[in-house]
Amino acid sequence: IASSRVVAIIRGKDADFSIQRGMQLVELGCKVLEVTMDTPDALRVIATLVRAVGQQAIVGAGTVTEASQIPVLASVGCRFAISPINPQGFSAACRAHDMVSMPAAFTPQEVTRCIEEEADFVKLFPAQLYNPATLKALRAVGSFGAVRFVPSGGIKPDTADQWLAAGASAVAMGTHLSGEDMRILPSESERFLAAAAAWDEANATAEGSAIAALLSRLALP
């Protein structure tokens, strides 16, 4: 995750379209896919992507709200689990199933709990209420500088590098990366087709893709 620098969030309204978009993102260079558990038929989406692109990217689950979900996620090939909270026993359950853990924190006290529970990464959420300067200040305090923070929420292509420069290990990006069409049901044909066409136009080929250009800009030297 840290070497990839970008986590692509797949939060879709349709399972098959979520699979399709996940495969497209990997073709464009994304190395980390987070399929949120509020995506319809999320386990099938994860399992399909693991089979299809698991050699080129790591696939995990987001919006995991209970440690009891971890065994099932591991069974379909999840490599990591991300939560918008820090469920009791979450990081320990991930370790037990050889999965990377990323619970969420917002306050220094919540960050401390993640450290105590040996979380692999800490999701800084909601990042809309932070800014890169605040993250930099947080990392200057005690042991927080060693925490691998991944801001999530409202991260845009033109702000992602600022978060990384402030010390984030990676950034998690949703519709600004995966596309506005992910939010729309294909049955809403007119809105869906317009949004899908806009994403396709911006990412028609890897050479001219806005996403590929972003990933190249954010890559480690």
Side-chain angles (χ1 to χ4, degrees), residues 159-220:
T159 62
D161 50 357
Q162 298 171 30
W163 287 100
L164 294 169
S169 293
V171 291
M173 299 178 65
T175 53
H176 291 295
L177 183 71
S178 302
E180 290 287 340
D181 48 356
M182 297 292 292
R183 294 180 172 183
I184 307 169
L185 284 166
S187 58
E188 301 176 53
S189 56
E190 188 172 331
R191 288 182 63 223
F192 175 78
L193 290 173
W199 194 91
D200 288 342
E201 183 177 355
N203 300 286
T205 65
E207 292 76 15
S209 164
I211 289 175
L214 172 67
L215 295 172
S216 177
R217 192 180 87 236
L218 299 180
L220 287 169

Side-chain angles (χ1 to χ4, degrees), residues 14-24 44-45 48-49:
D14 177 84
D16 291 332
F17 185 66
S18 297
I19 293 168
Q20 175 187 324
R21 181 52 48 83
M23 294 173 68
Q24 289 173 314
R44 179 172 70 85
V45 174
T48 302
L49 287 172

Side-chain angles (χ1 to χ4, degrees), residues 9-15 18 34-43 45-46 60-65 69 73 82 84 123 125 182-183 185:
I9 303 171
I10 298 174
R11 174 176 279 111
K13 295 289 188 180
D14 177 84
S18 297
E34 171 195 346
V35 179
T36 66
M37 293 302 289
D38 51 359
T39 296
D41 209 359
L43 291 176
V45 174
I46 293 168
T63 320
V64 180
T65 55
Q69 295 173 277
L73 292 171
I82 302 177
K123 173 179 175 174
F125 178 78
M182 297 292 292
R183 294 180 172 183
L185 284 166

